[in-house]
Amino acid sequence: MKKRKLILIGIALILLYILFGVITDGNHKLMILLTLSSVFLITIYFLKNFDETKYKYCFFLIAPMLLLFTIAGFLGNDFSRTLQYLIFIPVSSLLAYGYLKKRYILIIPLALIAFYCIANYLFNTIFIFVSNKDAEKNINFPAITLLEHNKKRVYLKMDKIIVLDFWSTSCGICFEKFPDLEELHNKYKENNRVEIYAVNFPLKRDKFNTTIKILDSIGYKFKKVYAQSSSEIENKLHFNTFPHLIIIKDGKIRYDGMFETEKNTLIFSTEAEIDKLLKE
């Protein structure tokens, strides 16, 4: 009876996780903070009156969530984030078990502080590390055809550090990153060694004139160019997901990965990558 009740509570935790996704609009940092805190507090609440506290009871409570994330990890393409849920949810459960065994009230605030640190520092850093572990390179940059708004060809100056932020009109995150790109532009606009471009990747819905109007209406000052062919980008640069960042120095690709501007990121910050190349 206890096991069945705990599994039902675990299913309720899944519904709570889905609710967190809706409330936070898919913000992973807030979602993992709320999820870990909920697992911890709900485990304590429902197990505090059990005659005998065993970790197997805690496990039955989180088992439905672990099963959900395991399935999602195999079916989805974001396994690095899924894997972290599979690691940190049992950690949250173990902390709750520790409190139930020892009844040290200090465990509760310490656990909540730990969840905050996981959400704001460790979670995103691990995700970026897994996603960008092969991002730093030193290979030749192939010639690609880029156009200005008047369809005149743009020739990149290979004696500079060139930052290319590839985006498409169907990519919501790309638009969310534009203020960060503008911030980078403002920081380096007086540095004649750095040039920063937003490069439109022309998917079927990215009509040339419409894309120009979209960028003009937003009013950002960073340089804007347009790839002539999506197939050329895919064949020569080997990516088709966005936003995607490439940094070039002396005609060589030195960074090929995520456009990362998160302030709490401990590794692979775009600004840090540019500054590192400037110091070489």
Side-chain angles (χ1 to χ4, degrees):
M1 188 66 182
K2 286 181 179 178
K3 295 177 183 178
R4 186 182 303 173
K5 179 182 178 182
L6 292 173
I7 290 173
L8 288 174
I9 296 169
I11 293 172
L13 276 172
I14 292 175
L15 298 176
L16 196 59
Y17 168 78
I18 295 171
L19 178 62
F20 291 153
V22 174
I23 293 172
T24 64
D25 195 25
N27 185 310
H28 286 287
K29 289 197 300 184
L30 287 176
M31 286 176 69
I32 195 165
L33 174 60
L34 293 171
T35 300
L36 296 182
S37 300
S38 298
V39 169
F40 177 73
L41 296 173
I42 288 173
T43 299
I44 291 174
Y45 179 80
F46 282 101
L47 298 186
K48 65 181 179 181
N49 295 323
F50 276 28
D51 296 333
E52 184 182 11
T53 302
K54 295 181 179 179
Y55 184 69
K56 68 177 182 180
Y57 296 143
C58 301
F59 177 78
F60 284 126
L61 196 147
I62 64 173
M65 292 194 83
L66 297 181
L67 179 61
L68 171 71
F69 285 115
T70 300
I71 294 171
F74 283 108
L75 296 180
N77 58 359
D78 193 3
F79 191 70
S80 60
R81 280 200 172 105
T82 303
L83 181 61
Q84 292 189 72
Y85 278 102
L86 291 174
I87 294 170
F88 291 131
I89 286 175
V91 169
S92 175
S93 179
L94 278 169
L95 287 170
Y97 175 71
Y99 170 78
L100 291 167
K101 292 292 286 185
K102 300 296 183 181
R103 302 287 174 162
Y104 292 152
I105 194 66
L106 193 60
I107 292 177
I108 294 178
L110 289 176
L112 296 177
I113 292 171
F115 300 151
Y116 176 84
C117 293
I118 288 170
N120 281 277
Y121 298 96
L122 192 57
F123 185 76
N124 203 45
T125 298
I126 292 174
F127 171 70
I128 293 167
F129 174 76
V130 172
S131 302
N132 279 7
K133 63 182 185 300
D134 298 319
E136 293 184 337
K137 302 179 183 295
N138 192 10
I139 59 175
N140 290 330
F141 178 73
I144 57 174
T145 306
L146 301 176
L147 305 174
E148 293 181 346
H149 68 280
N150 57 7
K151 295 193 176 182
K152 183 179 179 180
R153 184 165 181 178
V154 176
Y155 294 92
L156 301 175
K157 299 174 182 177
M158 291 301 168
D159 60 336
K160 298 180 181 291
I161 295 171
I162 302 167
V163 180
L164 303 177
D165 171 30
F166 290 86
W167 67 283
S168 74
T169 57
S170 59
C171 169
I173 298 176
C174 297
F175 286 91
E176 292 175 11
K177 291 285 187 180
F178 279 160
D180 297 320
L181 190 67
E182 183 79 344
E183 190 174 320
L184 279 178
H185 164 76
N186 290 333
K187 176 177 179 179
Y188 296 104
K189 64 183 179 181
E190 302 299 329
N191 191 324
N192 60 12
R193 295 178 59 199
V194 179
E195 290 191 349
I196 295 174
Y197 295 87
V199 184
N200 176 248
F201 186 99
L203 299 176
K204 287 184 179 180
R205 69 176 67 187
D206 290 9
K207 304 301 181 184
F208 191 83
N209 292 332
T210 304
T211 303
I212 291 174
K213 289 179 181 178
I214 290 173
L215 283 182
D216 287 345
S217 67
I218 296 174
Y220 291 118
K221 302 299 182 184
F222 50 71
K223 295 180 180 179
K224 310 164 189 74
V225 294
Y226 309 86
Q228 186 178 57
S229 166
S230 58
S231 60
E232 181 186 35
I233 301 297
E234 289 183 26
N235 292 334
K236 291 185 176 181
L237 296 176
H238 312 294
F239 72 86
N240 59 5
T241 56
F242 313 97
H244 191 90
L245 193 80
I246 288 180
I247 303 177
I248 307 161
K249 182 180 181 182
D250 297 329
K252 292 186 178 293
I253 297 175
R254 300 296 302 276
Y255 180 90
D256 183 2
M258 293 174 61
F259 177 23
E260 190 48 59
T261 54
E262 175 64 47
K263 302 303 181 186
N264 293 333
T265 296
L266 304 179
I267 54 174
F268 293 123
S269 159
T270 299
E271 187 175 321
E273 293 294 322
I274 296 172
D275 289 342
K276 182 167 63 177
L277 292 175
L278 283 170
K279 292 175 182 177
E280 289 184 353

